[in-house]
Amino acid sequence: MHGIMFHHFHDGGKHIKSQGAISAARFSDMLDWLEARYAILDPETFLETLASGRLRPEHISLTFDDALKSQFDIAFPVLQRRGLRAFFFVYSAAFSKTPPKLEFYRDFRFSMFPDVEDFYATFFSTFARSLPGKHARYLAEYPTDYLSAFPFYSQNDRRFRFARDRVLMDDFESILDRMMDDSAYDMRKRQAALFMNASDLRALAEAGEVVGMHSHSHPYTIKDMPRNRQRIEYKKNREFLADLLGSDVWAMSHPCGSYGDDTLTLLRNLGIRLGFRSSMTPNDIRSTLEIPREDHANILRTMQEDDA
């Protein structure tokens, strides 16, 4: 593996404990484990080593997706104390007055339900009641190996994502919005706790972290978009970062691991030199824009196995 992918962190207060979220102490333990087995390269060294053909199996880099405030509040101070630098991949719409609802939906299912399985039960019940035709299609078409490349997903995680990305699509938000209305969940009150702000991004860049692209609106399946819409997604994302940080933008990660040949071509045309996938399948480096990453949840599982 050459990239480690992190998303959510928790502190027992402002940042809630949720599926996959880790504490500062656990993050530090994980870095201890990684440093004992790998050489953690800073972003520029990683690119230079890769480009020169000198990347070895023990070389890895740390990456953080989605411009999440918990990363800035919890993970960033740990990196600074340890003298480590990493990639932070952000989608620009997260900094607008009306961010995409992806992160709100995640926050909703962990803050308003005692367990994620309770959320899934309510979601699929609402789905079946609201759109019986599409629900029947979901039951008939769900492939048992869907997202099998992501072993950290539970069976219901995969079923939920199949329903969202392959069956519901535009109807997905209407179902979640109805559920949030029923629960009196307030997105406006949660935004500041969920997302970084412009000052946070500047602080990351000033500390030497590399802030890169993750599209503008974080589509679930960007590869299915027409090429021009993909270009707009990444052009807006790049312009936002270049204007805010006043520096070159040369790295990115693919939202939800989704990309195609058109995506890679337009990224090269935008001057992007390094791109990360979101899984280890396939585990070879097919180009500098397709670096496989291991999710931190799988690292945590390996650590636990080593302790057993």
Side-chain angles (χ1 to χ4, degrees):
M1 63 185 181
H2 291 296
I4 311 297
M5 177 174 62
F6 294 93
H7 284 87
H8 298 87
F9 294 81
H10 71 84
D11 58 9
K14 174 182 176 182
H15 302 292
I16 64 172
K17 190 171 184 179
S18 61
Q19 185 182 36
I22 58 175
S23 65
R26 199 55 169 150
F27 180 46
S28 191
D29 290 343
M30 191 173 295
L31 294 177
D32 286 340
W33 188 91
L34 289 169
E35 288 185 314
R37 293 161 176 80
Y38 299 91
I40 301 177
L41 305 184
D42 64 68
E44 295 85 357
T45 302
F46 185 90
L47 175 63
E48 179 186 352
T49 306
L50 173 66
S52 64
R54 295 182 290 111
L55 198 68
R56 299 195 303 268
E58 67 269 24
H59 290 152
I60 63 172
S61 197
L62 307 176
T63 72
F64 299 80
D65 284 5
D66 294 347
L68 302 176
K69 186 70 171 179
S70 67
Q71 296 169 359
F72 185 82
D73 290 346
I74 300 170
F76 177 46
V78 174
L79 295 177
Q80 288 190 298
R81 288 196 295 271
R82 300 178 71 111
L84 294 172
R85 295 194 292 115
F87 292 97
F88 285 80
F89 298 118
V90 306
Y91 59 103
S92 38
F95 299 85
S96 69
K97 292 182 179 179
T98 56
K101 295 177 181 177
L102 172 68
E103 196 59 37
F104 294 110
Y105 290 155
R106 185 186 191 279
D107 183 60
F108 167 68
R109 69 180 182 259
F110 290 110
S111 64
M112 304 299 288
F113 292 85
D115 184 86
V116 69
E117 295 304 322
D118 294 303
F119 164 80
Y120 285 138
T122 302
F123 170 79
F124 284 111
S125 174
T126 306
F127 179 14
R129 186 173 63 254
S130 304
L131 297 164
K134 283 199 170 185
H135 187 262
R137 178 187 157 200
Y138 145 74
L139 292 174
E141 296 182 2
Y142 175 73
T144 56
D145 63 346
Y146 188 68
L147 296 181
S148 58
F150 301 85
F152 48 88
Y153 286 153
S154 70
Q155 184 62 242
N156 273 339
D157 290 338
R158 292 195 286 269
R159 287 185 173 275
F160 172 72
R161 284 161 174 77
F162 178 77
R164 180 190 70 190
D165 300 345
R166 298 299 176 184
V167 180
L168 283 168
M169 293 178 286
D170 291 342
D171 290 319
F172 173 73
E173 289 199 359
S174 66
I175 290 178
L176 265 292
D177 289 347
R178 183 178 302 117
M179 291 171 62
M180 291 197 301
D181 287 343
D182 291 344
S183 301
Y185 177 87
D186 191 331
M187 289 189 291
R188 289 175 297 179
K189 289 183 178 179
R190 291 296 297 159
Q191 182 171 348
L194 296 179
F195 295 108
M196 295 184 201
N197 56 47
S199 295
D200 297 335
L201 286 190
R202 292 191 188 98
L204 290 175
E206 289 169 1
E209 315 294 347
V210 169
V211 180
M213 302 197 311
H214 199 48
S215 79
H216 174 67
S217 66
H218 202 303
Y220 300 124
T221 53
I222 197 170
K223 71 175 182 179
D224 295 334
M225 288 180 165
R227 181 172 182 173
N228 188 55
R229 285 190 61 195
Q230 293 187 44
R231 185 183 67 81
I232 292 171
E233 280 283 333
Y234 283 115
K235 187 171 182 291
K236 290 177 71 172
N237 194 199
R238 190 183 190 286
E239 289 175 350
F240 168 80
L241 292 176
D243 290 346
L244 177 68
L245 303 177
S247 59
D248 184 29
V249 181
W250 53 269
M252 63 82 63
S253 68
H254 301 282
C256 297
S258 179
Y259 67 92
D261 291 340
D262 283 347
T263 320
L264 299 179
T265 297
L266 68 89
L267 288 170
R268 292 188 185 98
N269 290 340
L270 288 172
I272 302 305
R273 291 178 282 165
L274 185 66
F276 287 90
R277 304 201 316 263
S278 61
S279 75
M280 289 294 293
T281 305
N283 63 5
D284 59 316
I285 298 177
R286 299 186 294 190
S287 77
T288 59
L289 296 180
E290 299 173 274
I291 309 300
R293 288 187 294 176
E294 185 66 278
D295 189 273
H296 84 275
N298 292 331
I299 300 295
L300 183 59
R301 188 177 298 113
T302 302
M303 290 171 59
Q304 293 168 339
E305 291 170 353
D306 287 351
D307 291 340

